[in-house]
Amino acid sequence: MTPQNLVEKYFKDLTDPPLLLQKIEWTKKYARFALISQEDIILSGQEIFERSLRFLDIDTKITWHIQSGDLALKNQVIASISGQLISILTVQDIALHFLAHLSGVATLARCYSNLSNNCTFQSHQINYSDMNELENKALQDGQVNPVRQNQQNFFYFLEAHQSMSKNFNELFIETKNNSGKPVFLEVQTPEFFQANPELQGNHCILSGWTIEQLTQLDPAHRQLEICGYYSLEDIMELLKLGFTRFSIHGLKTSAPTASLQLVME
């Protein structure tokens, strides 16, 4: 869903400021605000923040002092905003919600990507919410790439499929050799991996293995992609073991919300 459509969905029932705001006699019709970061963050979500703030007043002015993907330090002014006071106060909560969530995703992603310059960090998670496209952009702002989002562009086999088909191994090898598309095999247990040497290769994704299981993996296979819910501390341990390819689950859903504040000047 595009930022414009998403804003329209969230504001579909809002055509005027709430009655409480309409009844207050404002001493200022126009006001200036500073958008301030209350912690170190990676900024993301500028477009939907702008569309939200301008929903009731298209003439609201927003001047950004940094751009998406940039680091904002604690207490730094990220943007200067001016416009009709009543309009800004009406939409500010939803605008800040979008910006804080997306900046939180970008910030957590950057924490992973900063662990090593010699590793590949990806997000393997597909979020089917309206925010998916914006969250993917936030991941990229955090220097983590969303991968395998379009399931029409590849074939994806699961270890569990073997119990459903007697010809699983032959089908996988045939598909890999003749499909013309990337083919992946998600391996969920060390037992399956060891029992099927003919299926081993760079197409294998070790999914959900524990740190102990990965520690026992033959060093010759530690170039394979690891996929799962791994904390920053887990990744640091795996880096010591020689793993360099990571697909992290939960970056979109577990990222803490960035702390932002809109202050009237």
Side-chain angles (χ1 to χ4, degrees), residues 209-216 230 234-235 237-238 241:
W209 288 31
T210 66
I211 301 297
E212 182 180 357
Q213 289 171 333
L214 292 169
T215 301
Q216 297 172 0
Y230 296 108
D234 291 336
I235 297 297
E237 288 296 318
L238 294 171
L241 295 173

Side-chain angles (χ1 to χ4, degrees), residues 199-257:
L199 299 182
Q200 296 177 6
N202 288 334
H203 51 266
C204 288
I205 300 171
L206 309 183
S207 177
W209 288 31
T210 66
I211 301 297
E212 182 180 357
Q213 289 171 333
L214 292 169
T215 301
Q216 297 172 0
L217 185 67
D218 188 323
H221 297 303
R222 293 183 182 177
Q223 84 285 355
L224 297 179
E225 179 181 332
I226 302 171
C227 177
Y229 293 91
Y230 296 108
S231 67
L232 293 168
E233 292 75 16
D234 291 336
I235 297 297
M236 292 177 68
E237 288 296 318
L238 294 171
L239 287 171
K240 296 176 183 177
L241 295 173
F243 293 97
T244 60
R245 298 172 59 199
F246 304 97
S247 289
I248 309 299
H249 281 186
L251 287 180
K252 298 177 181 180
T253 54
S254 65
T257 301

Side-chain angles (χ1 to χ4, degrees), residues 165-184:
S165 172
K166 296 180 179 179
N167 301 319
F168 175 84
N169 290 24
E170 293 80 0
L171 176 62
F172 175 83
I173 293 173
E174 181 181 355
T175 303
K176 181 177 181 296
N177 292 336
N178 301 316
S179 68
K181 296 181 180 181
V183 179
F184 301 97

